[in-house]
């Protein structure tokens, strides 16, 4: 019970910053202009997922608390996806 408090968990601000960087990089115009990714909801989703997978694989290769960071970023992605789908009217 007490060991739960002694474990180092990733900061929520770190996780939010990583997810924000993923979204910002996935929205770079060069992907849509130079590489022909369609500038649609599906195309943007694909780019975010691509960046998310690349980050998760990179963190998975680490030897430390990186796995918890990767899970945290994935959780934030799922929450953001849910919020965006609800905003678009998908139930």
């Amino acid at each position: 019970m007490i060991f739960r408090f002694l474990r180092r968990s990733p900061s929520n601000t770190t996780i939010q910053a990583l997810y924000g960087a993923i979204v910002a990089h996935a929205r770079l115009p060069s992907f849509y202009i130079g590489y022909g990714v369609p500038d649609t909801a599906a195309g943007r989703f694909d780019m975010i997922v691509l960046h998310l997978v690349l980050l998760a694989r990179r963190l998975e290769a680490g030897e430390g608390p990186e796995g918890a960071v990767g899970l945290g970023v994935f959780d934030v992605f799922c929450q953001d996806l849910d919020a965006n789908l609800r905003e678009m009217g998908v139930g």
Side-chain angles (χ1 to χ4, degrees):
M1 179 74 127
I2 188 92
F3 294 113
R4 163 172 67 122
F5 298 111
L6 298 176
R7 277 185 282 168
R8 297 183 91 190
S9 62
S11 169
N12 194 32
T13 55
T14 301
I15 291 170
Q16 291 289 341
L18 278 173
Y19 183 69
I22 286 172
V23 172
H25 198 267
R27 290 183 178 171
L28 289 176
S30 60
F31 292 117
Y32 305 96
I33 296 169
Y35 294 106
V37 176
D39 193 10
T40 62
R44 290 178 180 223
F45 173 78
D46 290 344
M47 290 306 298
I48 291 172
V49 169
L50 172 68
H51 285 79
L52 183 66
V53 167
L54 292 173
L55 176 73
R57 289 192 63 170
R58 178 69 182 229
L59 292 174
E60 187 179 90
E63 296 181 12
E66 294 90 359
V69 173
L71 287 175
V73 173
F74 183 74
D75 289 343
V76 170
F77 164 73
C78 290
Q79 292 168 0
D80 186 43
L81 178 64
D82 182 57
N84 284 318
L85 287 173
R86 289 177 189 273
E87 187 175 308
M88 292 186 328
V90 177

